[in-house]
Amino acid sequence: MSGFIPFCQRCYHLILLDSRHSVPSKFGVRMVVVEGVVVDDEVLRAKFRCHVAQCKGACCVVGELGAPVTSNEVEIIESLLEKVKPYLPEANRKALDEKGIYEVHQGSLFLTTVEGRECVFATIDEKGIATCCLEKLYLDGGSEFRKPISCHLFPIRVRHRFGMDMLVYMQIEECKAGRICGRDEKVSLCTFLAPALERKYGATWTKTLLKEAEKLTQTENREGNETGSFTTSSSNLTAESATNSLH
């Protein structure tokens, strides 16, 4: 079942509404439920496409912690360690030997970092661009695991609220070039991340999400056109009144 819901941040209630109804701004953040997954409508309306030449792979570097990972992903990465180590710089291999693959913070698992900077599985090339060695191994045919799903989905993050997944859009300064690129090329965030979303939730769910995003875009475009028409009519009426007052 899909539909818009208002999210009351003060009392933490979710109220399911039919998707045909808009949500009054007094409710705060507007969201949509797609087959049991809560999606912030910023995820649906955003334009985004990675511009690695500009951001330099900042998502592999920025932040106090490494990428969030699941216990299952940790097991998979551990099984790939000997294969991925040849791709890693010496400093990264040393960090792995000293600290291991992950660390625990407030009960959640995160990949370790190299001295609090880049992810332990990232390498930085001669142009200063950080790339994922796990993904390099995958692209070279060395494994079936591309990278942690949190990395694949970024700048979408998965939160867990009310027993459900909640998708939120992380707008960090380092991704500004990606937002500009998406806007200029008219690429939606959902379209850009469709392969990652399909990996996480399946093809049917992703198709439904893309339809919801398109529906929201059409609604906002229609409302924008109606507002524009009203503004133009009001301006013409004001101009006509002003002209008549001169005679």
Side-chain angles (χ1 to χ4, degrees), residues 30-189:
R30 189 167 68 169
M31 298 185 179
V32 83
V33 174
V34 180
E35 298 178 7
V37 179
V38 182
V39 184
D40 185 337
D41 73 344
E42 283 298 315
V43 170
L44 300 178
R45 63 162 49 94
K47 303 297 181 186
F48 186 88
R49 182 172 184 175
C50 276
H51 197 320
V52 178
Q54 290 291 323
C55 74
K56 307 294 186 183
C59 57
C60 295
V61 179
V62 174
E64 297 179 2
L65 296 166
V69 286
T70 66
S71 57
N72 183 57
E73 287 176 327
V74 168
E75 290 180 8
I76 293 172
I77 294 170
E78 284 178 338
S79 72
L80 296 173
L81 266 184
E82 295 310 310
K83 287 185 176 181
V84 76
K85 278 185 176 180
Y87 291 82
L88 299 174
E90 177 59 33
N92 298 51
R93 293 197 293 271
K94 182 179 179 181
L96 277 173
D97 292 339
E98 292 177 352
K99 298 188 290 184
I101 291 174
Y102 68 95
E103 60 180 303
V104 181
H105 179 71
Q106 296 183 350
S108 297
L109 309 182
F110 299 85
L111 292 179
T112 51
T113 62
V114 179
E115 297 182 358
R117 301 188 308 271
E118 70 269 19
C119 170
V120 74
F121 291 105
T123 183
I124 300 176
D125 66 17
E126 65 280 357
K127 296 180 180 179
I129 297 175
T131 55
C132 177
C133 292
L134 289 168
E135 188 167 33
K136 284 185 176 182
L137 177 65
Y138 167 84
L139 294 174
D140 286 346
S143 80
E144 296 181 355
F145 178 77
R146 184 162 192 155
K147 53 185 171 183
I149 191 63
S150 67
C151 302
H152 207 178
L153 284 170
F154 196 80
I156 290 177
R157 281 288 191 227
V158 182
R159 307 299 188 211
H160 302 287
R161 301 289 187 273
F162 317 104
M164 297 184 288
D165 281 0
M166 179 184 291
L167 305 190
V168 297
Y169 177 32
M170 303 294 291
Q171 300 189 52
I172 64 173
E173 178 62 27
E174 290 79 7
C175 285
K176 182 178 180 180
R179 294 192 288 274
I180 294 172
C181 184
R183 180 199 65 196
D184 293 347
E185 297 186 13
K186 295 180 172 60
V187 177
S188 73
L189 176 67

Side-chain angles (χ1 to χ4, degrees), residues 219-243:
T219 298
E220 292 187 338
N221 287 341
R222 183 169 62 251
E223 291 175 350
N225 290 335
E226 290 173 356
T227 302
S229 298
F230 176 76
T231 302
T232 301
S233 299
S234 299
S235 298
N236 290 339
L237 183 60
T238 302
E240 182 179 347
S241 301
T243 300

Side-chain angles (χ1 to χ4, degrees), residues 2-5 16-22 32 212 215 219:
S2 302
F4 281 108
I5 57 173
L16 183 62
L17 296 179
D18 185 275
S19 59
R20 292 172 297 175
H21 293 102
S22 61
V32 83
E212 289 290 345
K215 188 189 304 181
T219 298

